[in-house]
Every structure is written in structure tokens, then in C-alpha cells.
Amino acid sequence: IIGDIENVSMLKGAACTIESIDECRLIVIDSNVFLNWMKLYHGFSLNVARRLAERFYESSNENGKYMVYNSSYSLISTIINVVDNITGGKNGKIFNIRLKNTRKELGERIGLNERTINRLLQKLKNENLISINSGKIYISNTQFQKLKELKENLQMDRRKI
């Protein structure tokens, strides 16, 4: 079911967008019909509730991974994950990648506000672990390796506690 969050919450707009990579058929159900099914058919309602709960559980579980670490570690981990996704984990080549994520997106991903993200990014820039040009975040392969070392050191320090 696509659009279940929007229908159940009765909020306008879309929580996300979806693009099919394979040919598929889509059946469109009017919002009012969907909500009536929820009221009339308990099995249907339970199925929708389980799907929503599973998705929220996965999201909460993913966000919870970052909550036990300090904000610097969380941001560094996120930047490393973004670069790994862009490079496919093949970081042996020389590169200078621009992160397409906005500061707001980075903050939402790890549960920090934009002001905190800006402060942490400035700190990383001052330590030459990232570059910022015209408000865009760049990371070279050298900076990437240094970030990975810093992340490992932060993990080691945390293990001592």
C-alpha cells in the first residue's frame, strides 16, 4: 500500500515519492474508500497497522543507532555512509565528491537541528576533514580517509567508557 501514512494521518501532501524500476500495475483507491475499509474491516485495519508499525520500528531502530553516540560521531558516520553509497564502497581512487544532502536532510537523518549540523560542519572544515564551497559540502579521498580514522578513534574512546 502506497500512501497509507498520508491517508491514516489525514495530512495533505506526500510523505515520500516512489519510482518503479520495473513495469507494474497500480490500483488507485480513493482516500475516503480506504478510510471506510479501515473502519469496516478489522482485518484490513490490523494489516495496515502492522505495516505502519513495522516501518516505524525500522525507522526508529535506524535512528536509535545514532542516539547512543555524540553528535560529532553521528555526523561523521553519516558522511562516511553517504560517500560509501556514492562510490559504491570503492574508495581507492582519487575523488572530490560533493554531498547532495542538505544540512536539513543530514540533521533529519541523525536527529539534529540544522544549527547543530552547521556548527559541526564548521568544526570539520576547520580541521580540514571536509571542504565547504558556496555552501556545498565536498570531501576528497584524503579527507575521507581521515574521517574514517577519526570515526574509529571515537569508537575506541567510547569503548573505554
Side-chain angles (χ1 to χ4, degrees), residues 70 72-73 76 150-158:
N70 70 33
S72 294
Y73 180 88
I76 291 166
L150 178 58
K151 178 185 173 187
E152 184 61 33
N153 290 338
L154 290 171
Q155 278 181 314
M156 296 299 273
D157 288 345
R158 187 174 182 283

Side-chain angles (χ1 to χ4, degrees), residues 23-89:
E23 188 174 320
C24 66
R25 291 183 185 196
L26 184 67
I27 300 171
V28 179
I29 302 169
D30 180 76
S31 294
N32 292 326
V33 171
F34 180 84
L35 292 173
N36 273 337
W37 286 357
M38 294 279 297
K39 291 176 188 172
L40 295 173
Y41 302 106
H42 299 294
F44 179 74
S45 298
L46 186 59
N47 187 11
V48 170
R50 279 193 181 127
R51 288 191 75 250
L52 290 172
E54 287 170 3
R55 287 166 45 200
F56 289 128
Y57 178 83
E58 288 171 15
S59 175
S60 296
N61 194 26
E62 187 64 28
N63 288 337
K65 290 178 185 176
Y66 295 108
M67 297 302 177
V68 295
Y69 293 104
N70 70 33
S71 52
S72 294
Y73 180 88
S74 298
L75 181 59
I76 291 166
S77 294
T78 300
I79 292 171
I80 289 170
N81 289 338
V82 168
V83 172
D84 276 339
N85 286 337
I86 292 170
T87 64

Side-chain angles (χ1 to χ4, degrees), residues 84-145:
D84 276 339
N85 286 337
I86 292 170
T87 64
K90 298 174 183 157
N91 304 314
K93 296 181 181 179
I94 295 173
F95 60 79
N96 190 30
I97 294 174
R98 180 176 74 84
L99 301 185
K100 292 187 171 42
N101 304 74
T102 66
R103 287 159 170 74
K104 182 178 180 186
E105 289 169 341
L106 290 171
E108 287 172 354
R109 190 167 175 169
I110 56 178
L112 298 173
N113 66 43
E114 203 170 336
R115 200 166 127 202
T116 301
I117 293 293
N118 285 331
R119 182 177 46 80
L120 294 171
L121 288 173
Q122 189 60 48
K123 183 177 175 188
L124 293 175
K125 179 185 175 194
N126 292 343
E127 295 172 11
N128 197 30
L129 295 169
I130 63 168
S131 301
I132 298 176
N133 187 358
S134 299
K136 306 293 183 201
I137 305 164
Y138 292 86
I139 183 165
S140 69
N141 57 314
T142 306
Q143 291 169 324
F144 182 71
Q145 293 308 318

